[in-house]
């Protein structure tokens, strides 16, 4: 860990433990509330997935058709889980121009699919250089502003069909409009190419700027014939079944969580989930969110309760100390005859108290040492919650009686 990371960690630790852990308790309470909110969402999704039927493409019409046997199509739709194989929509179109399916072909690998995502990531390096002291400030404020990744996505309409049937009379159109779910893509090309340095690169390194050292090309596709499960709202549009995503559910295509990025290993492990596997996965996530909310909530209540008791006791002790000090000052005033006798003699203007302007300056403040107040006004200044010298406004601890020799 670098010295800057250690400093940032120390500052965060001091901020979290400030006020006897109040900020730490509030942070844990926020995490607990977020966990409970996600728990309620996961519980609702679990109930919907459990209640939704798992059918084949050929059985969709019997599920979506009205129970009274009428020919009216279902416009509102129904939540279902459908399993099928990916195929281009042009394969089932009746136009003679689509005898050859309209599919996408990977430029690098030659694989055919219906979705192609190409990502180029520029990898940067940083050398502090001779004038690289500004890189620390830039790393804090401007590093997140720099775009280092470019992504292009191409897609053609596709459907889900059953394997081994031709021609495909029953198929399910996949509507991707408005979907925020990740796609079950497969990596078909992955290559890291070094970037040849230029004279400008040398200047960037000399002045401590980031300079590119490599370019990562990655291509992912949704291939034809991939066996996936679709979870969404299915309805009949002009006699053809169509499914679209439901943003209240964590799945749409392939059984991938909304919060999960399109990592290759994750897709291979979870792209063929069945309904039972989805139910088990959501139930496990629900339990984790529930107990994490309980644990974080208990910790936050304990820390906030401890901080409240500590601050309350500290405030009471400070209040009692202030009352005791005021009583001691009053006793000193009553017991000191010199204070009572002050004000009966003639005092030059240069020796008058700057507060009352009636008595002689007798008390000097500690630690500033200013002799500007009489003993009575000095004691009244000491009784303030934050006593300060009336001349230099420096915080004072006490006052000292000055006697003329």
């Amino acid at each position: 860990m670098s010295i800057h990371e250690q400093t940032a960690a120390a500052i965060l630790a001091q901020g979290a433990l400030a006020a006897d852990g109040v900020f730490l308790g509030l942070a844990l309470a926020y995490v607990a509330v977020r966990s409970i909110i996600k728990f309620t969402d996961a519980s609702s999704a679990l109930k919907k997935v459990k209640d939704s039927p798992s059918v084949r493409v050929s059985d969709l019409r019997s599920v979506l058709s009205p129970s009274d046997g009428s020919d009216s199509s279902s416009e509102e739709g129904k939540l279902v889980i459908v399993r099928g194989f990916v195929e281009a929509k042009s394969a089932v179109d009746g136009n003679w121009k689509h005898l050859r399916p309209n599919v996408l072909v990977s430029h690098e690998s030659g694989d055919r699919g219906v979705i192609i995502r190409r990502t180029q990531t520029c990898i940067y390096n940083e050398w502090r250089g001779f004038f690289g002291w500004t890189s620390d400030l830039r790393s804090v404020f401007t590093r997140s502003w720099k775009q280092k990744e470019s992504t292009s996505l191409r897609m053609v309409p596709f459907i889900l069909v059953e394997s081994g049937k031709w021609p495909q009379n029953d198929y399910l159109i996949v509507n991707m409009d408005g979907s925020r779910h990740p796609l079950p893509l497969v990596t078909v090309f992955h290559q890291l190419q070094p970037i040849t340095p230029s004279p400008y690169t040398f200047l960037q390194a000399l002045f401590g700027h980031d300079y590119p050292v490599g370019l990562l090309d990655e291509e992912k596709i949704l291939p034809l014939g991939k066996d996936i499960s679709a979870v969404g709202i299915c309805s009949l549009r002009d006699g053809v079944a169509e499914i679209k995503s439901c943003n209240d559910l964590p799945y749409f295509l392939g059984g991938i969580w909304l919060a999960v990025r399109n990592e290759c290993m994750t897709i291979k492990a979870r792209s063929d989930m069945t309904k039972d596997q989805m139910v088990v996965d959501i139930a496990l996530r629900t339990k984790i969110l529930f107990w994490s909310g309980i644990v974080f909530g208990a910790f936050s209540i304990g820390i906030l309760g401890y901080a409240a008791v500590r601050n309350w006791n500290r405030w009471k002790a400070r209040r009692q100390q202030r009352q005791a000090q005021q009583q001691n000052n009053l006793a000193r005033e009553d017991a000191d005859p010199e204070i009572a006798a002050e004000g009966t003699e003639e005092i030059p203007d240069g020796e008058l108290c700057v507060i009352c302007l009636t008595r002689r300056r007798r008390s000097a403040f500690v630690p500033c040492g200013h002799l500007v107040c009489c003993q009575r006004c000095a004691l009244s200044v000491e009784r303030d919650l934050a006593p300060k010298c009336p001349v230099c406004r420096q915080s004072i601890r006490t006052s000292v009686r000055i006697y003329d020799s």
Side-chain angles (χ1 to χ4, degrees):
M1 183 181 292
S2 63
I3 184 64
H4 305 288
E5 294 176 349
Q6 293 178 0
T7 303
I11 294 175
L12 290 176
Q14 292 179 359
L17 298 178
D20 293 324
V22 172
F23 294 102
L24 179 60
L26 293 176
L28 292 178
Y30 173 78
V31 174
V33 171
R34 291 288 299 174
S35 299
I36 295 300
I37 293 176
K38 292 181 179 179
F39 163 74
T40 56
D41 295 339
S43 300
S44 176
L46 178 61
K47 184 178 183 303
K48 290 181 179 180
V49 172
K50 282 184 176 180
D51 296 340
S52 60
S54 179
V55 297
R56 297 182 302 174
V57 177
S58 58
D59 299 332
L60 279 175
R61 293 183 178 275
S62 61
V63 175
L64 299 177
S65 298
S67 59
D68 55 1
S70 61
D71 295 333
S72 61
S73 62
S74 176
E75 295 292 338
E76 296 182 356
K78 184 176 182 180
L79 182 64
V80 296
I81 301 176
V82 185
R83 193 170 186 85
F85 293 85
V86 176
E87 184 61 63
K89 186 176 181 297
S90 58
V92 296
D93 289 338
N95 195 337
W96 65 270
K97 295 181 179 180
H98 296 109
L99 294 178
R100 184 177 180 180
N102 182 21
V103 297
L104 302 176
V105 180
S106 172
H107 179 70
E108 302 295 342
S109 64
D111 294 335
R112 304 200 308 168
V114 293
I115 299 176
I116 294 181
R117 173 180 291 167
R118 184 178 179 87
T119 304
Q120 287 187 337
T121 305
C122 190
I123 301 176
Y124 286 80
N125 193 11
E126 181 180 4
W127 180 60
R128 294 179 62 86
F130 298 105
F131 307 99
W133 58 272
T134 57
S135 62
D136 298 332
L137 297 177
R138 189 176 64 257
S139 64
V140 175
F141 296 103
T142 64
R143 184 177 297 273
S144 59
W145 299 345
K146 194 169 186 179
Q147 183 70 26
K148 298 184 179 181
E149 181 179 283
S150 61
T151 303
S152 62
L153 180 66
R154 292 187 299 162
M155 182 186 306
V156 296
F158 64 98
I159 59 177
L160 296 183
V161 299
E162 290 188 19
S163 177
K165 288 189 176 182
W166 194 263
Q168 297 291 344
N169 296 323
D170 295 321
Y171 57 90
L172 174 64
I173 299 177
V174 180
N175 187 354
M176 298 295 297
D177 296 338
S179 175
R180 298 185 293 108
H181 297 74
L183 299 172
L185 304 180
V186 178
T187 301
V188 295
F189 181 75
H190 188 88
Q191 184 179 10
L192 177 62
Q193 299 177 351
I195 295 179
T196 304
S198 63
Y200 179 68
T201 304
F202 172 75
L203 293 178
Q204 286 179 312
L206 181 64
F207 287 93
H209 294 278
D210 294 340
Y211 58 93
V213 296
L215 184 64
L216 178 63
D217 284 336
E218 190 176 32
E219 197 170 51
K220 296 182 178 182
I221 69 171
L222 180 59
L224 298 178
K226 185 176 179 63
D227 185 15
I228 62 175
S229 297
V231 186
I233 305 298
C234 191
S235 59
L236 292 176
R237 304 290 181 181
D238 297 329
V240 180
E242 181 184 80
I243 190 169
K244 61 181 180 180
S245 65
C246 179
N247 291 327
D248 295 336
L249 297 180
Y251 305 121
F252 179 35
L253 296 178
I256 303 178
W257 276 98
L258 261 175
V260 177
R261 297 293 181 182
N262 288 329
E263 300 292 341
C264 179
M265 296 301 295
T266 304
I267 292 175
K268 289 182 179 179
R270 308 182 66 176
S271 62
D272 56 349
M273 295 180 67
T274 61
K275 176 183 177 180
D276 295 336
Q277 292 173 336
M278 293 179 188
V279 170
V280 172
D281 195 19
I282 301 178
L284 178 60
R285 180 177 174 84
T286 303
K287 291 180 181 179
I288 294 175
L289 290 172
F290 174 77
W291 287 111
S292 62
I294 295 298
V295 171
F296 284 118
F299 273 109
S300 65
I301 292 175
I303 293 175
L304 291 176
Y306 169 79
V309 172
R310 288 272 297 180
N311 286 285
W312 173 256
N313 293 334
R314 189 176 300 172
W315 179 81
K316 287 198 303 183
R318 190 182 299 113
R319 181 181 179 185
Q320 293 175 358
Q321 182 180 2
R322 187 167 60 251
Q323 291 177 352
Q325 185 178 1
Q326 292 178 357
Q327 292 177 358
N328 292 335
N329 293 334
L330 291 175
R332 286 172 56 188
E333 291 181 4
D334 296 338
D336 195 345
E338 296 183 2
I339 298 179
E342 287 183 352
T344 59
E345 55 180 336
E346 292 293 333
I347 303 172
D349 293 341
E351 298 181 5
L352 286 175
C353 173
V354 297
I355 296 179
C356 65
L357 300 177
T358 57
R359 291 180 289 272
R360 188 184 298 274
R361 301 178 182 180
R362 294 293 188 184
S363 296
F365 293 112
V366 178
C368 65
H370 285 121
L371 179 61
V372 292
C373 292
C374 63
Q375 191 171 0
R376 187 187 300 272
C377 292
L379 292 176
S380 64
V381 171
E382 292 180 29
R383 298 191 192 108
D384 294 338
L385 295 177
K388 294 182 179 180
C389 175
V391 176
C392 64
R393 306 306 299 171
Q394 181 180 352
S395 298
I396 61 174
R397 295 193 299 267
T398 184
S399 63
V400 178
R401 176 70 162 82
I402 304 299
Y403 294 91
D404 297 331
S405 57

